[in-house]
Amino acid sequence: MFLSVFDIFKIGIGPSSSHTMGPMAAAARFLDDLRGGAGKISGTARPHRLYASLHGSLAFTGKGHATDRAVILGLCGLRPDTMDPNSADGIEAEVRRTGRVSPEGLGSLVFEPDRDLVFDYGPALPGHPNGMILKAFDAEGEVCHEQTYYSIGGGFVVTSAELEAAQAGQAPVQDGAAVPFPFETAAQMLEMGAASGRTIAQMKRANEEAQLGAQLDEKLDVIWAAMNGCITRGLTQEGILPGGLKVRRRARSIHRQLEGERGQNLSQPHQANDWLSVYAMAVNEENAAGGRVVTSPTNGAAGVVPAVGRYYIDHCVGADQQKIRDYLLVAAAIGGLIKHNASISGAEVGCQGEVGSASAMAAAGLCAVLGGTNAQIENAAEIALEHHLGMTCDPAAGLVQVPCIERNALGAIKAVSAASLALRGDGTHFLPLDNCIRVMRDTGRDMNDRYKETSQGGIAVNLPEC
């Protein structure tokens, strides 16, 4: 099994990897099919009008996650990794005004969002809670292209056929690459490390270099620069986040207080938690505002890995900037195991699969750069994930704000605590990481759909009336 670090960490825009980045990427894939003629229905003419329907969680929390805007931007030909977030509002407004999109190579196509973008609140599509159907009609009103997509978390998008193939055990899109250390479980990862004498970071590096060669470090540095830049932007912004909950940004104010307390003998020892929290909150406030973030492994959990990385650089004794590459490699190795054997999708397994996974990734990465053995790294990831088991995804008003922003802060704190506990031991522990991942998967399957990103239960329905 090979899932690249750059599949786990993808630069995109907020507020959601599954509800924003995924649908935008699906729309871009659909346009590529239209340009190439793939899947064209025999006897029909060229595309004239486009249509999209959103199902399951994409429908129930799509408004709060700006899924409608994502589809509009995607059908304009924009992609989450390259578009300018500051241009989104203007482009969306123009499409709503004119009722047309003009993607490159396809000319002007009719697309009236009020009519052609449907939130279907009926049963979810059979493959996954996050489903969408895209269609193109010719000038006679006949369907000339149609495709069903599933946004399976972390910005990953598959067609219905690809999902069925993966579920049948046939080569999934992200698997099958030839790498020297193709571990599919944490147990295999530890066995390969022991047999080869390599650390997890070294094995993951070897896998990545087998695909990317000398480009690896440069690409890792780009990912870290995007993460760190998101923290820095978030620490400078003020105001009310969009969406109607009137949530005020707090990162800048908290950061100012912490800066003012530097060097004071009266500072409490637990102030380290405040630094972790403010870094994570800065990222997730940026995400909630639709800014540029890095899936880590999702947008809803995008603050944990950057926060712990920044904490390592700014606050840990003996920190080495170059070790951030190892931090990201190890974090991605753990994220890949979780995705392969369970899920990172809040719509599939709740927030244990988002913030829980992120906390496990960050704990493993920090343990690694602080000198942990492979066994201690696996232990750190297990501790962090175990203590997020059962966490629901219940965003108020379908927005990635309450409880998501603070939840990232606590996920970062748990990650550091988990790494520290693991480093105090010798790596032996009661519950293996593989078993913990299995528990997370089974808990998610048993979880009521009201608590899986539909905003129909939990915090989402227990706020005071305003």
Side-chain angles (χ1 to χ4, degrees), residues 129-149:
N130 292 333
M132 60 187 294
I133 298 172
L134 293 175
K135 298 180 182 180
F137 297 85
D138 63 19
E140 300 299 320
E142 298 293 327
V143 176
C144 55
H145 288 77
E146 180 175 353
Q147 186 61 269
T148 297
Y149 296 95

Side-chain angles (χ1 to χ4, degrees), residues 297-298 301 338 342-346 349-358 361 385 388 390-391 440:
T298 66
I338 296 172
S343 176
I344 58 171
S345 168
V349 295
C351 200
Q352 58 175 354
E354 296 204 31
V355 170
S357 297
M361 292 162 60
L385 183 60
H388 284 88
M391 181 174 281
M440 191 265 276

Side-chain angles (χ1 to χ4, degrees), residues 140-316:
E140 300 299 320
E142 298 293 327
V143 176
C144 55
H145 288 77
E146 180 175 353
Q147 186 61 269
T148 297
Y149 296 95
Y150 292 106
S151 182
I152 59 175
F156 291 92
V157 173
V158 294
T159 65
S160 55
E162 290 167 347
L163 184 63
E164 289 170 7
Q167 292 172 341
Q170 301 167 14
V173 175
Q174 291 85 22
D175 291 355
V179 294
F181 301 99
F183 48 83
E184 296 190 11
T185 65
Q188 290 176 357
M189 179 178 72
L190 293 176
E191 290 167 3
M192 291 180 186
S196 66
R198 298 197 185 198
T199 66
I200 294 171
Q202 289 168 342
M203 290 190 292
K204 183 62 174 168
R205 172 174 287 278
N207 287 348
E208 296 290 338
E209 287 179 341
Q211 304 298 315
L212 296 170
Q215 302 177 44
L216 177 59
D217 283 342
E218 180 181 349
K219 290 171 72 71
L220 287 171
D221 292 345
V222 169
I223 292 296
W224 175 247
M227 288 181 172
N228 198 39
C230 188
I231 293 175
T232 301
R233 286 195 309 276
L235 294 177
T236 64
Q237 302 300 308
E238 292 180 311
I240 304 297
L241 293 172
L245 286 181
K246 299 181 180 179
V247 172
R248 183 175 296 278
R249 287 180 183 250
R250 290 180 288 162
R252 181 177 182 181
S253 173
I254 295 172
H255 186 245
R256 281 176 170 173
Q257 294 175 49
L258 290 171
E259 287 287 1
E261 295 167 9
R262 277 187 184 274
Q264 292 185 12
N265 292 330
L266 298 179
S267 297
Q268 297 287 357
H270 57 252
Q271 190 185 80
N273 289 341
D274 297 337
W275 282 103
L276 279 163
S277 296
V278 78
Y279 295 150
M281 291 172 66
V283 172
N284 284 85
E285 287 175 357
E286 280 294 287
N287 179 62
R292 186 165 300 285
V293 298
V294 180
T295 61
S296 311
T298 66
N299 281 29
V304 179
V305 171
V308 174
R310 178 75 168 257
Y311 172 79
Y312 166 71
I313 291 296
D314 287 358
H315 301 272
C316 288

Side-chain angles (χ1 to χ4, degrees), residues 19 109 118 126 155 199 207 283 301 376 401:
H19 287 59
L109 302 173
V118 175
T199 66
N207 287 348
V283 172
Q376 289 172 321
Q401 298 178 18

